[in-house]
Amino acid sequence: KARKYLYLMRDLTLSQDEYFVAKAAFSGGFTHASPYRVNTVGYNLGSFDFTSSYPAVMVAEQFPMSKGEEVSVNTIHSRDDLNALCAKWCCLMILEFEGITAVTEQDYYISESRCVATGEDAFNGRIASADTLTICCTDVDWEVIQQAYEWERFRVKRIWTYKRRYLPTPYVRTILQLYKSKTELKGVVGEEENYARSKELLNSLY
């Protein structure tokens, strides 16, 4: 039974090139202030929070679950070609844009620290426009970039594809069990230590 997962972990190893691109593509939560609201005080505001958002995504979403296969960029001639690839596979890629401009003024998706740009117009660390821009990203980023920006030209410099699958069932069961323990023990007198332990283990699964 364990051998099955040993083979899976072996298949999920990255090449050196993939590792550096994946590291450059990594991004934390989008917790950025709007450039039009920085250094101002807001009143009569509302907010909401997603409870246990990371565990929910790990249970409900699919992830790269195979060894990466590098695809020849010569097979990708248009945005439609890239969209077709991303619809079927999880993708890790290096994209290059020319004349890229944000289509919304509320906030900007691409972080200055995540890309290499020339002639950029940036607000509070986020790219509003650039003459050229190169970024390491995933298919999830690509979906957002298409909604948030327009550009004159783009090309795929490198791209790897991975089978899109749910996480292993025993792993998902562990997530659900720890979430159940955390929610049942929250606020229960005398169970503070067990609650904290369940919460820490649940968060560590990310």
Side-chain angles (χ1 to χ4, degrees), residues 48-57 179 182-183 186 195 202:
F48 64 92
D49 182 33
F50 292 106
T51 302
S52 298
S53 184
Y54 280 107
V57 169
Y179 179 74
K182 188 196 81 162
T183 53
K186 187 174 183 179
Y195 166 76
L202 181 64

Side-chain angles (χ1 to χ4, degrees), residues 104-150:
T104 176
E105 293 185 347
Q106 280 78 12
D107 206 347
Y108 310 115
Y109 181 71
I110 298 176
S111 174
E112 255 187 313
S113 63
R114 287 188 63 207
C115 67
V116 176
T118 63
E120 68 270 24
D121 190 8
F123 292 89
N124 200 20
R126 299 277 170 166
I127 299 291
S129 64
D131 294 337
T132 66
L133 185 146
T134 302
I135 185 171
C136 299
C137 64
T138 68
D139 53 290
V140 178
D141 293 310
W142 168 241
E143 184 179 345
V144 177
I145 288 170
Q146 289 186 92
Q147 298 176 53
Y149 292 88
E150 59 186 10

